[in-house]
Structures are given as structure tokens and as C-alpha cells.
Amino acid sequence: MFDPFREPEALDDAQAFDVLSELEKNTPDEIRRQRAHFRLSIRARVTISSANASEMLKFRVQCVTGDLSNGGCRILSPVPLRVGDVYRLDFDREQLPLPLTFARCLRCSLVREDAFECGFTFFAPVTLPEEAARNAESLV
């Protein structure tokens, strides 16, 4: 059982080597092969804010989706987002009719000085709109 108050354990040399070896295998082709869900390449505005009610109004940023699946999405953000944090994703309903969605940030990497690519996993699967699926390019 997860204990949030327990001090995290350091990796030993063998574990660290295994983690680095796994990271080396994370090529774009390998990542696509391991995806659990069908993905759509779709550009839609999304507003991201903190999932904590007490911080919801302190942080709000306008982003753009890169791709979307039932289980998560890839977003381009003008600011870096914290990996491991939970966010509220409010998609522009005119472009992408999805409900307010809660998601955990899995990764965030610098694309250029004013752009960050972020990967999210949804806490509950979403149903992709049929019209968006017909109009968008599918990714394997």
C-alpha cells in the first residue's frame, strides 16, 4: 500500500541502469507501438487549471491539443506543467465537445523557449466525439 509519508527509497546501481536502459528504448516508434488507445491528431483549445479547489483560480493557462485518445492526450503548453500533478482540462466545446476532465501530467518536455509538450492520462476514459473522429487524422 502506498504511504505518502514514507521517505522514497533511492535506486541502487542495478535499478538505475535498468531505468536508463528503459529510457533509451523510448523512441517515437516504440512509444506509438506501446499505446493502449487509438489516438486522433486533433488541434483544439484547452484551458488547464489546478485540480485542487483551493488553487483553481491561481493557475490557468490556454493550451492546444496535439492528439487525443480515450485514455489521455498530448498538449502543447506555453509554460511547463508539473509532472505528477493533477489538472482540470476544460476543452473548447465548439471544437471538441468533451466534459471537464481531470488528468495527471505524465511528462513535460521543452520543445522551444515558449513551448512545452505535455502528456496526460485521464482519470476516467472519455468518449471521443464521432464527428471529431471523422474529421481528425488517426494515429497508430
Side-chain angles (χ1 to χ4, degrees), residues 6-116:
R6 192 184 87 214
E7 191 68 30
E9 297 176 19
L11 296 175
D12 63 27
D13 290 345
Q15 290 172 321
F17 181 77
D18 289 343
V19 169
L20 288 174
S21 296
E22 187 177 323
L23 283 173
E24 287 175 349
K25 294 176 188 173
N26 285 341
T27 63
D29 291 335
E30 181 64 19
I31 290 169
R32 275 191 217 95
R33 190 183 67 73
Q34 292 179 9
R35 286 183 172 156
H37 302 281
F38 171 77
R39 290 191 171 268
L40 296 174
S41 177
I42 188 164
R43 304 291 181 258
R45 287 183 302 275
V46 60
T47 302
I48 297 179
S49 58
S50 174
N52 295 329
S54 61
E55 297 176 358
M56 190 171 50
L57 298 177
K58 293 180 184 176
F59 174 78
R60 206 171 168 85
V61 63
Q62 295 290 320
C63 302
V64 176
T65 61
D67 63 46
L68 179 73
S69 76
N70 295 67
C73 63
R74 187 170 52 102
I75 289 178
L76 190 65
S77 170
V79 296
L81 300 176
R82 292 179 181 230
V83 173
D85 279 5
V86 177
Y87 294 94
R88 298 163 60 110
L89 280 58
D90 191 8
F91 297 95
D92 181 334
R93 286 181 180 73
E94 290 180 14
Q95 295 179 303
L96 195 57
L98 291 175
L100 179 68
T101 305
F102 290 85
R104 179 177 306 278
C105 182
L106 298 179
R107 69 178 184 282
C108 181
S109 58
L110 177 70
V111 176
R112 60 176 198 246
E113 290 303 316
D114 60 345
F116 297 84

